Amino acid sequence: MTQTFSDRLRGIHAATIVPMTAEFEIDETSLAAHLAAVASTPGINGLLVNGHAR
């Protein structure tokens, strides 16, 4: 069954962080681990990911 857009927005969506290195670059390894840990938490339906422009 295909879900509507509004169906996909239901439930708990966890806000996430973007870990940075000492050089103010995105720490991709830490970010991937963080997102995987949050996404695998029981009861979480989606993620709210920070977006930053350079």
Side-chain angles (χ1 to χ4, degrees):
M1 178 173 133
T2 304
Q3 290 184 321
T4 66
F5 178 71
S6 120
D7 287 338
R8 291 191 308 258
L9 295 179
R10 294 184 194 282
I12 299 171
H13 290 71
T16 61
I17 61 165
V18 177
M20 307 294 279
T21 67
E23 294 78 30
F24 299 105
E25 306 233 341
I26 295 173
D27 183 339
E28 294 182 20
T29 302
S30 294
L31 177 59
H34 172 66
L35 294 176
V38 174
S40 67
T41 302
I44 298 295
N45 295 64
L47 302 175
L48 301 173
V49 180
N50 291 350
H52 294 280
R54 286 187 160 204

